[in-house]
Amino acid sequence: MLLTRTPPAPRLRIACLGRPARTLATLRRVGRVGRWGVTTAWAPTRSGGHGPLGIRSPLQVRGKKTRTVVKLDELPQGVVAPPPELLRPPEEDEPAYPTVVLQARRNMQKFDNCVLLTRVGGFYEMYFDQADEYGPLLNLKVAQKKTSVGPVPMAGFPFFQLDRFLKILVQDLNRHVAIAEEFPNDPAEKVKSGGLMHNRRVTRIVTPGTLIDENFMDPYASNYVMAIHQPEPAAASDDASCQGDRDQRPLGTPESANIAEAPVGLAWLDLSTGSFFTQPTTLASLGSVLTRVSPREIVLDKALESGRDNVLLSVLQEERYLVSYSPHGELRQLSDWAPLLESEIPAHTVDKFTDSEVQAGNLLLHYVRDRLQGLSMKLQPPLRHESMHIMHIDKNSMRSLEIKQTIRDGAFRGSLLHAIRRTQGAPSTSLEVINFRQDLVARFIEDEELRDAIIVLLRRSHDSQRLVQKFALNRGDPDDLLRLANTIKATEDIVNLLTASTSAARSGSSPAKDDDCLSTMVGRISLDQPLELAQHIRDAIDEEGLVQQHQIEDSEAGEMMALAQEIVKTEGTEEDSSLLPKGAASKAATSTKKKNPASIRDHYGEDSEVWIMKPGASALLTRLHEQLAALRREKEQLTETLRARLNAASLTLRWTPTLGHICHVKGKDARQPPTAHNNNNSSGRGGNGGGADQPQQQQPAATAAIRTLSSSRTTRSFHQPEWTALGESLDKLRFQIRAEEQRVFAGLRARVVRGLVKLRRNARVLDELDIATSFARLAAEQGLVRPTLTAAPQTVIVGGRHPTVEGGLAEQGRTFQRNDCFLGSAVPAAQTHGRVWLITGPNMAGKSTFLRQNALITILAQIGCYVPADYASLGIVDAIFSRVGSADNLYQDQSTFMVEMLETAAILRQATPRSFVIMDEVGRGTTPEDGTAVAFAALHHLVRVNRCRALFATHFHDIADLVAQHGLRVQDGGPDGAVDMYCTDVEEDENGGFIYVHKLRKGVNRQSHALKVARLAGLPEQAIRVAQQVLQHSGVDISSHRGVEQAKAPASAAVVA
């Protein structure tokens, strides 16, 4: 670098001598006039006037000597920039990889965020760094493919194991997988591509949220992908608010109240069923919605990808959701969705969609359409969640009530859905909907024979929602068509059963409303068009042909497994054998036992056609099969003729991929080629002189036409022009049959798509019948009762039980203690029972269980299920809120008490007079004085502001005194007299033994008996004595604690039997 100096800068003289261009052939760079007076230019090279990168040089050639004088300090510092055209990167030639590797490399560059699986014959393969990274994760051996450029890492697996490895990549590793299939090039494409036999292009991108028909999908759960749209003002405020200190969290601070209430739009769909929903919400409520919907994948605008401190991203990262990014695409408004929907959006709902919902839908539909890579898509019209009359359950309640999974280990077993056998429905807030569901359940409880018959027919049917969606996505196969036909037949039988039962009930003494519910279900089913479709399917598809095709596929898979086992056995180690898929040995053994046919080639031979469609599926198929039968007879005649002519009794007419149509002989017929005397013998068997002379005259020509292609000691193969011509005719005819079968299949698939609306409507009815029959069987087996639902703000439960705890105790041979719950009153003026229960009592005495069981009973009732109680009359609840248990949130720098306060604040802000709230141990994360103050403040707010039904459990016994001081007890009267006090207890004997009394009684229990629980938990004796001394020194009466010293009961005695 040149630097300026203190003394006067010397003058620098730069001269450029003008010479003819050809004398500058070796010159690379000279001056070009710039703004500093220095000339630089790129000179021509020997390659014909182009610079180093092949760009023509703008050299300025002068015919005389020129001189430019500049000061040294005026010279530019650093490297002189080249012309703009030279800054463009050169077009590098692609490495000379083999065609398959080159195609995979291009697809990897195009879909750089995906794991690419490329179909090559009977395998899917990965290359380059993806093979190195994912091969070991999939237990695949990574090999080195030798190429002229160098070794290329590769790993692969047989095509029939695609679902197995997709499960690992997509479901377990949360990766996006691009599947590139191979397509044969037609002659024009071969010429255009330089003679390539196949073109491999990506046909679909599989992501966790866009599964369609993969075998590893959970048949009992929806598979949602959700898009979230955040309006620009909210996003801007998020970014501004997040520039401060990391401890200033957006949610849960007073300064961020506006941010928490910022609107966002949601849209989610299940691609496997076509279900499509939208909902407006806020950032504060987003977590609860996500917990309820449980999307497998979330899509955000591409513009948010670089925003690390966005509030929306922090919410998603906290719950560890898989986030993908996508541009909005060309969809702009609600009308743009029409081509992707099976029917129009109802006119009365169009105006209700908010702009944020529409934008979220635009983003979602563009993303899903891009994942499908051109596949057609037909979704159900979107339903707005706001207009569905569904009970709101926030994420804290979903977790603490263990609706989907247990808190301790996140297992499904032990959850509410497990207790009701995976049968679920949205808890409704509509009395009409709930009563209809209950009427249906009651009808199936009453008629056990009808219930069992419906269950049997439902088992014969298939998930028609997903079946129909396959065809809407242009992915169904003949097996799916048969499954759909069986489902339609089962639906017809169900309709006949329900109709017959309704007719019999009307002639008897059954209640009219039960008949009405069955009649309503029958009336919602449309069978005319579906039955016609099912008949067309059965008339067209050859089920025996499909069975044979599956046997071929199984045999092929078994042969590949046998080959893999043989290679591992001869060349590998025990460790290599462990990498083979489970069941490989059994598949290989099954394959080797099958002797007829002996190979895949025999399966696909010309005499072993497997036709999917019946010959009568179309007029053209009938005609083609007749022609095929005629050609087969001609083949049989030709075989006999050639055997006689060539005196080769073992002669057969065959086709091989390498030799084409050949004549094959074996044994003694293969020892020498056919000669002239063969014709004499054959003519002698002709029995007529004229016939004998004719072959002799043709002998030279016939002999000349026979040329041995391959031979061994026992076989010989040769061409015969007559068989070659006949074989080509057979091949052409088989090709025409295959093409016509595809046309017929496409026609059946089009019929399914045309009947999409009716088929989906029928599927929804079957789903409701499935839920109702399951609820009826559950009620009969577990002694559940029908709850009465009203609009009054009251909850009356007699002999209530916890639906999951009771089952766990029953497995241990123990019983559950039933409890009553009376909240509110049917007549507000007559306040016989408090809206709020303040519950005290010892640890381990069942307070939390009582709180949870009443919330779960309320949810079950509004689903339409019978409930575990002796009697239940419940007022409709619009939302369930729960503050139970303790946990911190280290990711958000939130302590246990902070989390507790955030949950409490959300309840106090959102609960309405129709809500049901359970709160347990509010304020225990701080000092007793502060905890008592906070807990009473929450209770006071529930009574006077929210005015909702609530169960409030605490160990702060002073709260009972504060309730009395503020006149909040029921006996105090007035509009705020709404609190009843109940407690659990401990019973002790004279020997110090004790049991917990889980039965609630009126009153306040000021003893928590904590030392009893500590002793049962195994706290050392010395620690127990120290605790007793502390209590005695503080003036607490420890007489109730002394029994702990003599307590010999095991930990299992902590729960009453």
Side-chain angles (χ1 to χ4, degrees), residues 20-290:
R22 63 178 180 272
T23 65
L24 299 176
T26 60
L27 184 62
R28 288 296 179 268
R29 189 171 184 181
V30 296
R32 180 170 67 99
V33 178
R35 57 173 177 167
W36 297 288
V38 178
T39 60
T40 58
W42 290 93
T45 64
R46 291 189 180 93
S47 60
H50 290 74
L53 302 179
I55 301 174
R56 186 166 296 277
S57 307
L59 179 66
Q60 183 179 5
V61 180
R62 300 178 180 177
K64 63 178 181 178
K65 182 178 179 180
T66 60
R67 179 175 296 172
T68 303
V69 180
V70 295
K71 293 182 179 180
L72 186 61
D73 57 359
E74 293 178 353
L75 287 175
Q77 302 299 306
V79 180
V80 179
E85 59 270 14
L86 296 180
L87 295 177
R88 293 194 297 266
E91 296 182 1
E92 298 180 359
D93 294 333
E94 289 184 303
Y97 290 119
T99 302
V100 175
V101 179
L102 195 58
Q103 291 174 337
R105 184 172 182 265
R106 292 170 182 168
N107 285 330
M108 288 176 65
Q109 292 171 346
K110 183 177 181 181
F111 302 95
D112 55 354
N113 64 332
C114 301
V115 180
L116 178 70
L117 301 180
T118 303
R119 179 72 179 263
V120 183
F123 290 83
Y124 283 101
E125 297 180 354
M126 295 180 292
Y127 300 97
F128 300 106
D129 57 337
Q130 291 187 354
D132 288 329
E133 180 179 358
Y134 296 103
L137 295 177
L138 301 177
N139 276 340
L140 297 175
K141 185 175 182 180
V142 179
Q144 299 295 323
K145 185 179 181 68
K146 295 182 180 179
T147 69
S148 59
V149 183
V152 174
M154 64 168 291
F157 54 86
F159 71 94
F160 53 83
Q161 291 185 338
L162 177 62
D163 274 349
R164 175 190 172 209
F165 291 102
L166 273 182
K167 179 185 183 300
I168 299 174
L169 290 170
V170 176
Q171 198 170 62
D172 300 339
L173 300 178
N174 283 332
R175 297 296 189 269
H176 293 192
V177 178
I179 301 176
E181 300 289 353
E182 58 181 6
F183 300 89
N185 284 332
D186 57 30
E189 291 174 338
K190 287 181 182 179
V191 173
K192 185 178 179 181
S193 62
L196 296 181
M197 297 296 294
H198 293 89
N199 177 33
R200 293 173 177 84
R201 64 175 183 270
V202 174
T203 58
R204 184 185 165 206
I205 301 174
V206 184
T207 69
T210 57
L211 302 178
I212 298 176
D213 56 357
E214 283 67 26
N215 293 330
F216 54 83
M217 291 182 65
D218 186 351
Y220 299 102
S222 299
N223 196 83
Y224 289 121
V225 54
M226 173 184 284
I228 304 177
H229 172 74
Q230 192 175 13
E232 292 298 333
S237 62
D238 291 347
D239 295 338
S241 65
C242 294
Q243 297 301 319
D245 187 82
R246 183 174 180 269
D247 293 336
Q248 298 300 321
R249 292 299 174 184
L251 296 181
T253 58
E255 296 81 3
S256 61
N258 293 334
I259 299 175
E261 297 303 321
V264 293
L266 307 179
W268 66 95
L269 62 84
D270 185 346
L271 197 56
S272 67
T273 63
S275 304
F276 187 11
F277 304 93
T278 67
Q279 178 183 352
T281 186
T282 62
L283 281 174
S285 303
L286 180 59
S288 299
V289 178
L290 293 176

Side-chain angles (χ1 to χ4, degrees), residues 237 308 440 474 496 536 557 560 638 670 684 788 868 889 894 947:
S237 62
R308 298 181 180 179
L440 203 57
N474 202 31
N496 294 335
H536 278 289
M560 286 191 176
L638 179 62
T788 301
N889 189 340
Q894 294 169 352
R947 310 189 72 81

Side-chain angles (χ1 to χ4, degrees), residues 848-909:
S848 296
T849 300
F850 178 74
L851 267 59
R852 289 185 173 103
Q853 80 182 33
N854 289 286
L856 292 176
I857 287 174
T858 303
I859 293 173
L860 288 176
Q862 294 190 207
I863 288 175
C865 181
Y866 281 28
V867 299
D870 298 332
Y871 171 83
S873 176
L874 308 172
I876 291 293
V877 169
D878 64 353
I880 293 262
F881 295 101
S882 171
R883 158 79 284 277
V884 177
S886 63
D888 53 22
N889 189 340
L890 299 180
Y891 181 83
Q892 292 282 8
D893 286 347
Q894 294 169 352
S895 65
T896 302
F897 184 68
M898 182 61 180
V899 171
E900 178 185 319
M901 289 299 97
L902 285 173
E903 295 176 1
T904 303
I907 294 174
L908 299 183
R909 287 198 309 266

Side-chain angles (χ1 to χ4, degrees), residues 330-348:
E330 67 278 5
L331 300 176
R332 291 291 179 268
Q333 52 191 0
L334 200 62
S335 58
D336 295 337
W337 301 0
L340 306 176
L341 305 178
E342 66 180 18
S343 59
E344 295 182 357
I345 302 175
H348 65 278

